[in-house]
Amino acid sequence: MIVGYNMLGHFDNAIHMFLRMISCGVSPTQFTFTNVLASCAATEALDIGRKVHSFIVKLGLSSVVPVANSLLNMYAKSGDSVMAKVVFDRMRLKDKSTWNTMISMHMHFGQLDLGLALFQEMMDPDIVSWNSIITGYTHQGHDVKALEIFSLMLNSSSSKPDKYTLESVLSACANLENLKLGKQIHAYMVRANIDISGAVRNALILMYAKAGGIEIAHRIVDITGISKLDVISFTSLLDGFVKIGDINPARDIFDSLEFRDVVAWTTMIVGYVQNGLLSDALDLFRKMVREGPKPNSYTLAAVLSVFSSLASLGHGKQLHATAIRLQEASSISVGNALITMYSRSGSIRDARKVFKQICSNKNKLTWTCMIIALAQHGFGKDAVELFDTMLKLDIEPDQITYVGVLSACSHVGLVQQDVIAWGSLLASCRVHKNVDLAKVAAKNLLLLDPNNSGAYSALANMLSACGRWKDAAMIRKSMKDRAIKKEQGISWVQIQNKVHIFGVEDGLHPQRDAIYRMISKIWMEIKKMGFIPDTDSVLHDLDQEVKEQILRHHSEKLAIAFALLNTPGYATLRIMKNLRVCNDCHSAIKYISKLVGREIIVRDSTRFHHFNDGSCSCQDYW
């Protein structure tokens, strides 16, 4: 009964039958265990699998290779890599299935080095072993490595590629858009008389379509037939035809598909939109509504983009009503498209309404769409306020967001807020060491605010960090000539209603000696954990040892050391700083939060940083 249920794919019934067997006092055999463990693996029933494991141990069957392999497979498929490793290490006898299961598990979880190490330990890997490695590298985005292993297989192994091997390496060629290598693999398939059908055929079409061989892909479709073409291959074909500006062959293929799901319909509609054939896109959408599958959020978003281009408010409202009926109006893609459609159609009121209705589902694009909409309609102040709110919520702006808010400022003369945007851009340049863009940002910032000391300091610091000491010195001389003084950096912490203030190399605090001993101890411990001091943050040409000492005594680090000395071990540390936190302190505090097991909240001039267990809420963007 258990085997029968397994063969039919009724895995829950197989497990239930096993439990009945145990309750009736019937003793399982190793054959029973291998089958019920297969059912547990298929359903990822880890809790039941563990109970089965305990039965196996009690009956003394854990050393039986087929049973141990089934246990290994169950833990690997259920996501418990730790127990899988325990089972593997305890096995005195291992067959190829044992090794292949472990290799496949490591590759699946992205533990590529571990998977490769096991593979290299095998005496005579079979095709399953090779496929596990090649497919694992492809799925993890290491396409070049996958192709290197494939080449090694052809040159040094008796194993011949099967359909799974070819599907993976063709996928790697597609991802790399390597048409030459893809053709070589195709030629090998022809020479070896390998059947080009099913998944292999679709992978071949995908490779040619993505790698620039659209005509060859089309010929393969003509020769082998269209009816069983999968939607991924069709999508790739369509993209290829769109790139060359010829969408008619794609429509012919679409009309000939045996099974057209919502993805195929949406892909075809999007293809028309991308090719500027808006009328065809609308006609196909109407046909989909009449006789096809129910449109999803991506379909609706694509059609809304048509109405945005046409500035058709009436049609857009009708589609909005359709989205509500289909319960898709609250999805991010539809919401973003609705904001743009209403804005471009002249109804900023409706755009605002949609923005509010999206509530907690807003993403970066949602905020950017609304900021641009407000800017386009002359609501510059509202756009800047929305931008400020976006920053407070730790939502990272992109270049389009900046363009939108700068546009809003220029439309209504909000000079001070223009200052905010250029300042944020200048700070970002420091993180990425983009000197050229930093100069542009600083120039524009100083045009708006000639006495902005932060702009001078940020640019000088940027140049120093890049080793351009002379240029940095010239910027600082310019500050001095203009009598512009840099704000002194300080940090402070409030403990028991008293504020304690620290500067860099602060020697005035009553607990100075204890603070310095604490920070020295912390410094040694986090370096053991892997922390590497960012001496580029010391913007003077000094010896490395001196630079490290200066870094160790930055004001926020001293404030943290003091707080650790004077608060309970469970308390959250809250540090304030008047300037932007430097790269070294940001990195060090991540390690400190992990070392001491506490949340550390630092508010600098730009934002709040929540450090917890070695990471920061800003995701290293501030």
Side-chain angles (χ1 to χ4, degrees), residues 12-312:
D12 289 330
N13 289 338
I15 294 170
H16 180 68
M17 190 60 64
F18 172 77
L19 296 175
R20 282 186 60 191
M21 177 184 182
I22 298 301
S23 66
C24 291
V26 180
S27 183
T29 66
Q30 68 180 61
F31 190 59
T32 318
F33 284 125
T34 57
N35 277 275
V36 75
L37 285 169
S39 296
C40 292
T43 56
E44 298 182 10
L46 187 57
D47 288 342
I48 296 174
R50 285 178 177 143
K51 292 175 183 176
V52 175
H53 190 175
S54 67
F55 270 110
I56 291 168
V57 173
K58 287 177 184 177
L59 294 176
L61 296 174
S62 56
S63 61
V64 178
V65 173
V67 176
N69 282 342
S70 296
L71 268 174
L72 188 62
N73 181 62
M74 183 276 296
Y75 281 121
K77 294 283 178 62
S78 302
D80 192 341
S81 59
V82 175
M83 275 306 298
K85 181 72 164 55
V86 169
V87 173
F88 180 81
D89 289 342
R90 287 178 179 174
M91 291 178 68
R92 286 175 293 179
L93 296 174
K94 299 180 176 76
D95 60 13
K96 285 185 181 178
S97 177
T98 314
W99 290 89
N100 289 339
T101 299
M102 284 301 290
I103 291 168
S104 179
M105 181 194 73
H106 284 313
M107 300 306 284
H108 176 75
F109 287 114
Q111 300 162 336
L112 307 182
D113 291 342
L114 293 176
L116 184 61
L118 282 180
F119 175 76
Q120 290 171 339
E121 281 185 48
M122 290 185 73
M123 296 298 294
D124 183 23
D126 59 11
I127 186 60
V128 177
S129 318
W130 288 100
N131 284 347
S132 294
I133 291 290
I134 293 169
T135 303
Y137 276 122
T138 304
H139 286 172
Q140 296 294 333
H142 296 266
D143 299 299
V144 173
K145 187 67 175 177
L147 293 171
E148 288 175 358
I149 298 292
F150 175 65
S151 177
L152 184 65
M153 174 186 174
L154 293 178
N155 294 325
S156 63
S157 171
S158 59
S159 299
K160 298 297 181 185
D162 62 10
K163 62 181 181 179
Y164 302 107
T165 325
L166 295 168
E167 188 180 352
S168 293
V169 294
L170 286 170
S171 175
C173 291
N175 294 336
L176 296 170
E177 298 185 6
N178 191 329
L179 182 59
K180 182 179 178 181
L181 186 54
K183 283 183 174 180
Q184 290 174 359
I185 293 171
H186 188 185
Y188 168 83
M189 292 163 63
V190 173
R191 288 195 306 272
N193 198 27
I194 293 172
D195 178 34
I196 300 176
S197 62
V200 175
R201 181 194 65 161
N202 285 320
L204 194 61
I205 293 168
L206 176 69
M207 182 277 295
Y208 278 119
K210 290 185 71 174
I214 188 66
E215 294 301 329
I216 302 175
H218 197 190
R219 285 204 299 273
I220 294 171
V221 172
D222 288 340
I223 293 168
T224 59
I226 292 172
S227 60
K228 294 184 180 179
L229 187 69
D230 71 1
V231 73
I232 297 174
S233 301
F234 169 69
T235 302
S236 302
L237 277 171
L238 178 59
D239 288 341
F241 286 122
V242 168
K243 285 177 182 176
I244 64 173
D246 185 6
I247 203 153
N248 292 328
R251 180 58 187 268
D252 292 338
I253 294 171
F254 173 79
D255 290 337
S256 302
L257 285 175
E258 185 179 279
F259 175 68
R260 292 179 292 182
D261 63 3
V262 65
V263 178
W265 283 87
T266 303
T267 300
M268 193 68 235
I269 291 169
V270 169
Y272 278 131
V273 173
Q274 291 175 339
N275 234 36
L277 301 172
L278 306 183
S279 178
D280 293 293
L282 291 177
D283 288 343
L284 188 59
F285 175 71
R286 295 187 184 103
K287 181 179 174 68
M288 180 183 184
V289 172
R290 288 194 308 270
E291 58 189 64
K294 184 175 74 172
N296 63 14
S297 59
Y298 299 103
T299 322
L300 296 170
V303 179
L304 280 167
S305 71
V306 176
F307 295 137
S308 295
S309 301
L310 298 174
S312 177

Side-chain angles (χ1 to χ4, degrees), residues 35 101 115 137 243 257 432 449 465 491 523 537 580 598 619:
N35 277 275
T101 299
Y137 276 122
K243 285 177 182 176
L257 285 175
H432 300 287
D449 186 4
S491 298
W523 193 259
S537 292
R580 186 173 175 274
R598 298 214 219 171
Q619 298 179 5

Side-chain angles (χ1 to χ4, degrees), residues 402 423-434 580 621-622:
Y402 280 116
S424 296
L425 182 59
L426 179 57
S428 299
C429 291
R430 168 73 193 285
V431 174
H432 300 287
K433 295 186 178 179
N434 189 328
R580 186 173 175 274
Y621 182 95
W622 77 99

